[in-house]
Amino acid sequence: MTQAIRTTCAYCGVGCGISATPTGPRSVTILGDEAHPANGGRLCSKGTHLGETVGLQGRLLAPMIGAKRASWDKALDLVAKKFRETVERHGPDSVAFYVSGQLMTEDYYVANKLMKGFIGSSNIDTNSRLCMSSAVAGHNRAFGEDVVPASYDDLEEADLIVLVGSNTAWCHPIVYQRIQAARAARGTRLVVIDPRRTETCEGADLHLPVKPGTDVALMNGLLAWCDAEGVTDPAFLAEHVNAPEGFWEHIRSGHDLWTTAKTCDIAPALLEQFYKLFAATPRTVTMFSQGINQSIRGTDQVNAIINVHLATGRIGKPGAAPFSITGQPNAMGGREVGGLASTLAAHMDFAPDNVERVGRFWAAPAMATRPGLKAVDLFRAINEGRIKALWVMATNPAVSLPDAGRVREALQAVPFLVVSDIMADTDSSTHAHVRLPAAGWGEKDGTVTNSDRTVSRQRPFLALPGEARPDWWIVKEVGRRMGWRNAFAYDRPADIWREHARLTAYQNDGARVLNLRRQATISNDAYDAMEPFRWGGERPFSDGRFPTPDGKARLVLTKQMEIQEPLKQWPMTLNTGRYRDQWHTMSRTGLSPKLARHREEPLVEIHPQDAELLGIADRDLARVQTAQGNSLFRVAISEGQRLGEIFTPIHWTDQQASGGRTGLLPRPLVDPHSGQPGFKSTPASVEKVATEWKGFLILRGDEPVKLPCLWSTRITVPGGALYEIAGNGDPARLDAFLPKGDRVEAMDASRGTRRIATISEGRLNGVLFVTRTGLLPSRDWLIRQLETEGVGGSVLAARGPGSQPDKGATVCVCFDIGLNQIVAAIREQQLVNVAAVGKALGAGTNCGSCRPAIANILAQAQQETLHAAE
Ligand code: SF4
């Protein structure tokens, strides 16, 4: 029997350990690694279904120059030649790399070394800029180094956990499960601070639906409360913390409860409840993520949180810390090697001593001496003609950066574009002059660091397909071909890891917490067998010493920015974020039929009163417009939205939908310290878009098609794909997209209904349902017919003999349980809690990601029962 390989999940910054057992050339059984400290064997829905994503659909399997296949030698020579010539002609700052938190630490290290030590520029930035660079800047300002002063174990030792700007139940589900387990075991209190009422709020002790962008006021108000109530720690402050002049005067003026509640637009009583709870609970962890970081005042928001923890001495102690949690699997590893344009390497900045030290270590011929262009500025510089050659690695900026329309123009305009990726066609690689096939998850070999500083191995368990190669290999080959053969003479990831570890320890007398000295001489075998370990020890700063020149942490004076009232043209505020079962631009999760069922279309969520005012109904189509662009979305009316605010998901691209392009909408405005874009509050408008007909198309096979209609979204289903469609004019033009076969059809002129199927030898090839005025049937039964023998003309009835009632929207993807089934079971069996629903239906008993959704359904059902009884 094939042995299980211990590796790490491909997705979020929780960094769960996985036990992967290959079952064929491209198939694998996935289980949680019980020995991994992050997850102890648990996995969320995304991790659980990783096995559905390791197929080769859409993979880039050979180097391509333009549309032509090329040898590796030819492609690498061309990339090296173009970068060398561009640097010679226009200088080192005329080239750039845009990389990704999906890379291994070893990949990141080689790319950073090539750009900053040999090309001589710092124009290497990463998509982690979009995710957590405000936390990096905040840590550096407060602690003198980018150190996360907490671990997941602190969640089990805290008496109060405050989640700020974090839909943890969806974005970091295993952390959320650890929080829920701590609540059950020791009664830990939970406060959620978020403008939206997300599933994370289910069962929380308090939810504060603050006005977006008011977190500085909220935290300064909290500090003022703690100061007034004598909850600050004067001894800790005196010995271990510096405050800038005027800091306390600023906190004590204008941050009373009433003023703060008004600024944050929440009830003073609610705010007081939170402040009292915080003040009374020394063991408090404040966990924050994109809701804090993705703001044009993100760094101040981070520091306002850290200020409270420093002033109350709630840091470096069990169950007490500010805790930044990252989005990507290796955002932290990238930070450690210096993969941001604003850092140098190994947690060093561009101070002359550091530049000289790193230059000596690398024997670098052309050290960069100052920070480079951060992501948004980098693409702006391309549009201005200042960047002549760009290499994009493992990311899709045409979709993910704000004002993505301008980013596309930049990708089209740059004279030489290289994209290394696992996918053949992405919205970014469409414009590439050279495409290089990279290794994917399951093929990669290296290390990643999760949000609590735990370094884990990602180990390969699948053969590299076609001519794919690891990113570190591709970059070092270009470095060697640019003329630096010895500096990039790596044979394996372990060679790079040892060099990175040596650099962290090089002339490090304790000035930097990041010190991997013990790893510097690790053998190849020991690297292969590496167990997860946390750098910086269990609890950094437990001795009250910080990596600043005087050893003291720093309070940072932060002021609440003025929040502009909505303009007439843009009466709404757009917030953006993730879905539970999708990841980034869906290039991997989009391959999983199970994950696709949780949210099948990109939705714009809107408050019922706003929808009513705008004449928009649930399931309508609506256009979201901002000054940057517009895109179509399916409407979901949600009580969880604040009035005047809408929410759209970040995942959809041109590859899966005609609309849902959230990246087109946000402003390219960034935080002045971190350069992180403010994705969370863009002035916007919404309008209903009427269509003459709606329908769906189910096609056998995985070859995507572009449909000529106003709205089309595609998801993978077992055996094929489901397209939701809507449009104007004659829908007969869609008939041509049905595969060949015996054709059966049923038309109803009074409802404008077309139902057509094509069948070959009892196998369904495709089915098209369109209606102008009527209802559409559930898709589930029809989808199952793709894998059924003996299909006939009765397929147009859309249900078979003894068919089950419509399950409703999928809630539990592991057991394929829908909303209608859960509601029916709650009513009929009088179920009162999540465990009872699990016992009755199985829902929520595998990965557990849907338990907050089940809690939400239970709460709504109980409310409806109460109303009915009144
Ligand atoms: Fe992967 Fe889910 Fe764990 Fe994140 S929480 S690392 S997505 S299994």
Side-chain angles (χ1 to χ4, degrees):
M1 186 181 140
T2 316
Q3 229 188 340
I5 306 289
R6 291 176 68 203
T7 184
T8 318
C9 179
Y11 300 120
C12 82
V14 180
C16 296
I18 277 180
S19 171
T21 309
T23 51
R26 294 303 303 184
S27 62
V28 60
T29 300
I30 299 288
L31 290 173
D33 177 358
E34 289 179 8
H36 198 284
N39 58 321
R42 287 166 287 201
L43 292 176
C44 78
S45 47
K46 289 190 287 284
T48 299
H49 295 99
L50 264 165
E52 291 189 4
T53 70
V54 296
L56 295 180
Q57 300 99 305
R59 281 290 295 265
L60 179 63
L61 295 172
M64 305 290 288
I65 297 176
K68 282 203 183 130
R69 188 177 173 145
S71 68
W72 267 110
D73 270 339
K74 212 167 167 195
L76 291 166
D77 282 345
L78 179 64
V79 173
K81 176 172 170 278
K82 286 282 189 184
F83 270 77
R84 196 175 48 235
E85 284 174 0
T86 308
V87 170
E88 282 166 6
R89 205 167 297 155
H90 304 283
D93 287 334
S94 65
V95 300
F97 296 164
Y98 186 62
V99 302
S100 162
Q102 304 287 315
L103 296 178
M104 303 290 94
T105 299
E106 290 77 0
D107 304 326
Y108 251 128
Y109 179 88
V110 182
N112 192 54
K113 177 178 174 180
L114 175 58
M115 181 56 81
K116 289 182 184 152
F118 290 76
I119 290 176
S121 169
S122 297
N123 285 346
I124 170 170
D125 212 39
T126 156
N127 60 7
S128 299
R129 175 74 60 196
L130 317 181
C131 157
M132 48 78 227
S133 52
S134 294
V136 175
H139 290 156
N140 280 324
R141 289 205 298 184
F143 309 140
E145 185 178 342
D146 177 23
V147 178
V148 175
S151 78
Y152 298 143
D153 299 339
D154 285 312
L155 300 172
E156 277 115 35
E157 299 196 63
D159 295 320
L160 169 65
I161 296 170
V162 182
L163 299 174
V164 198
S166 168
N167 185 3
T168 321
W170 278 21
C171 304
H172 301 101
I174 295 303
V175 158
Y176 186 72
Q177 288 187 23
R178 287 183 72 154
I179 292 171
Q180 291 301 336
R183 281 165 66 66
R186 65 197 302 277
T188 309
R189 312 295 291 273
L190 178 64
V191 175
V192 180
I193 299 168
D194 193 319
R196 305 170 64 221
R197 185 170 180 85
T198 64
E199 282 183 9
T200 301
C201 304
E202 285 313 317
D205 295 285
L206 280 179
H207 169 220
L208 274 58
V210 292
K211 188 173 183 167
T214 60
D215 301 86
V216 167
L218 184 91
M219 288 295 154
N220 284 351
L222 174 59
L223 185 49
W225 179 278
C226 292
D227 178 49
E229 296 293 312
V231 180
T232 54
D233 185 337
F236 187 80
L237 280 167
E239 278 184 48
H240 302 298
V241 184
N242 284 321
E245 211 179 307
F247 178 87
W248 287 107
E249 291 78 1
H250 169 62
I251 291 296
R252 287 168 190 151
S253 155
H255 292 107
D256 60 277
L257 186 75
W258 294 94
T259 310
T260 306
K262 192 160 178 255
T263 307
C264 299
D265 192 24
I266 53 171
L270 189 61
L271 191 61
E272 187 177 17
Q273 255 184 296
F274 167 51
Y275 284 0
K276 280 184 171 167
L277 186 58
F278 189 98
T281 320
R283 283 182 176 231
T284 296
V285 169
T286 306
M287 184 174 255
F288 58 95
S289 65
Q290 271 79 332
I292 287 295
N293 296 330
Q294 289 182 335
S295 159
I296 56 170
R297 288 289 178 276
T299 307
D300 276 0
Q301 294 185 164
V302 170
N303 283 110
I305 292 170
I306 296 175
N307 283 346
V308 178
H309 276 266
L310 286 172
T312 53
R314 295 176 186 184
I315 192 165
K317 295 175 186 152
F323 194 167
S324 144
I325 184 160
T326 57
Q328 296 202 76
N330 198 30
M332 291 281 278
R335 283 149 74 162
E336 288 151 21
V337 303
L340 290 156
S342 42
T343 58
L344 177 55
H347 278 195
M348 285 177 268
D349 63 14
F350 288 88
D353 280 1
N354 291 335
V355 172
E356 196 269 330
R357 179 181 300 117
V358 176
R360 190 171 345 113
F361 181 86
W362 281 340
M367 273 304 291
T369 55
R370 58 190 157 84
L373 292 165
K374 302 182 184 108
V376 171
D377 293 337
L378 174 61
F379 284 87
R380 198 173 283 138
I382 296 172
N383 276 325
E384 290 167 3
R386 291 188 278 136
I387 300 290
K388 318 277 186 197
L390 173 70
W391 186 350
V392 175
M393 297 178 209
T395 185
N396 196 0
V399 178
S400 50
L401 274 167
D403 200 5
R406 290 286 290 154
V407 173
R408 270 177 198 223
E409 287 169 21
L411 292 169
Q412 277 162 6
V414 68
F416 186 63
L417 174 65
V418 184
V419 173
S420 37
D421 206 296
I422 63 167
M423 303 307 288
D425 296 305
T426 69
D427 297 45
S428 299
S429 70
T430 308
H431 311 291
H433 300 95
V434 179
R435 285 177 289 158
L436 303 173
W441 182 80
E443 300 147 14
K444 289 179 190 240
D445 189 2
T447 57
V448 292
T449 309
N450 73 2
S451 297
D452 81 345
R453 291 172 282 110
T454 298
V455 177
S456 304
R457 288 279 277 110
Q458 269 202 14
R459 297 185 173 92
F461 55 86
L462 297 170
L464 284 166
E467 296 180 40
R469 294 286 179 273
D471 288 283
W472 67 265
W473 182 89
I474 302 173
V475 180
K476 71 109 178 172
E477 281 298 316
V478 170
R480 286 166 69 84
R481 285 158 208 255
M482 287 182 78
W484 303 297
R485 300 198 72 75
N486 292 338
F488 293 92
Y490 307 114
D491 293 327
R492 56 185 69 79
D495 295 341
I496 304 164
W497 174 254
R498 283 186 288 264
E499 185 178 311
H500 161 54
R502 277 206 317 278
L503 178 55
T504 65
Y506 186 58
Q507 298 179 344
N508 186 354
D509 55 2
R512 307 189 300 278
V513 177
L514 176 64
N515 187 336
L516 301 170
R517 182 171 43 86
R518 291 204 189 123
Q519 297 288 318
T521 52
I522 190 172
S523 68
N524 294 340
D525 287 346
Y527 176 81
D528 283 343
M530 185 193 289
E531 287 292 321
F533 71 95
R534 193 179 288 134
W535 64 259
E538 282 305 297
R539 193 157 285 114
F541 315 144
S542 55
D543 59 358
R545 282 197 59 76
F546 293 85
T548 53
D550 65 1
K552 289 187 173 188
R554 299 179 284 232
L555 295 171
V556 177
L557 198 149
T558 59
K559 291 187 177 168
Q560 175 60 47
M561 68 176 169
E562 205 178 313
I563 307 285
Q564 300 281 326
E565 285 305 312
L567 301 169
K568 202 170 164 207
Q569 187 186 3
W570 310 117
M572 313 295 285
T573 303
L574 170 68
N575 185 358
T576 69
R578 297 173 189 274
Y579 280 163
R580 186 188 80 190
D581 289 350
Q582 293 299 345
W583 179 255
H584 282 194
T585 56
M586 296 164 79
S587 53
R588 244 188 328 245
T589 45
L591 301 175
S592 163
K594 288 207 165 171
L595 294 179
R597 300 314 299 272
H598 176 242
R599 289 286 182 277
E600 295 177 345
E601 295 176 285
L603 306 175
V604 52
E605 291 174 44
I606 183 166
H607 190 277
Q609 287 178 30
D610 286 324
E612 197 180 340
L613 262 177
L614 293 162
I616 297 175
D618 201 47
R619 305 288 305 155
D620 275 350
L621 290 178
R623 185 175 307 284
V624 178
Q625 174 98 38
T626 70
Q628 291 62 244
N630 72 80
S631 198
L632 272 187
F633 294 84
R634 178 77 70 192
V635 172
I637 293 182
S638 164
E639 299 268 4
Q641 287 298 124
R642 280 172 55 96
L643 259 179
E645 288 165 23
I646 52 174
F647 176 87
T648 60
I650 61 171
H651 310 291
W652 270 263
T653 71
D654 282 357
Q655 313 297 320
Q656 305 102 359
S658 61
R661 287 279 314 282
T662 288
L664 294 173
L665 306 173
R667 295 173 290 191
L669 298 181
V670 299
D671 175 271
H673 306 284
S674 68
Q676 180 153 359
F679 284 107
K680 295 293 185 184
S681 50
T682 304
S685 65
V686 188
E687 61 172 353
K688 174 177 169 159
V689 173
T691 58
E692 292 169 4
W693 51 260
K694 61 187 174 183
F696 62 86
L697 179 66
I698 298 169
L699 296 179
R700 174 177 299 287
D702 56 21
E703 196 55 44
V705 293
K706 292 260 179 223
L707 298 171
C709 51
L710 187 67
W711 177 252
S712 85
T713 61
R714 174 187 190 275
I715 61 164
T716 304
V717 298
L722 165 69
Y723 295 81
E724 294 291 335
I725 51 179
N728 299 312
D730 188 356
R733 62 182 181 271
L734 295 170
D735 298 1
F737 290 87
L738 282 165
K740 289 197 171 61
D742 299 331
R743 180 176 162 131
V744 288
E745 57 182 51
M747 308 289 173
D748 177 347
S750 64
R751 291 182 174 168
T753 299
R754 304 174 66 76
R755 293 185 171 196
I756 306 172
T758 56
I759 300 165
S760 299
E761 296 174 4
R763 280 161 55 87
L764 181 67
N765 296 330
V767 62
L768 171 68
F769 275 52
V770 172
T771 181
R772 285 181 188 272
T773 57
L775 295 174
L776 291 163
S778 161
R779 288 57 162 165
D780 288 336
W781 184 84
L782 282 166
I783 289 168
R784 283 202 297 278
Q785 303 318 298
L786 285 175
E787 298 193 312
T788 303
E789 301 286 332
V791 173
S794 62
V795 73
L796 295 181
R799 57 182 310 201
S803 280
Q804 298 297 312
D806 179 12
K807 290 192 302 199
T810 304
V811 176
C812 171
V813 295
C814 295
F815 295 115
D816 195 18
I817 310 286
L819 174 66
N820 296 351
Q821 289 171 293
I822 295 173
V823 170
I826 291 171
R827 284 208 191 112
E828 286 158 19
Q829 301 176 46
Q830 292 172 2
L831 308 176
V832 292
N833 56 38
V834 176
V837 173
K839 207 166 166 200
L841 297 171
T845 58
N846 186 38
C847 75
S849 295
C850 62
R851 278 187 216 137
I854 296 171
N856 190 2
I857 297 164
L858 274 160
Q860 283 184 16
Q862 277 152 9
Q863 261 193 359
E864 280 164 23
T865 310
L866 273 179
H867 284 154
E870 278 167 11

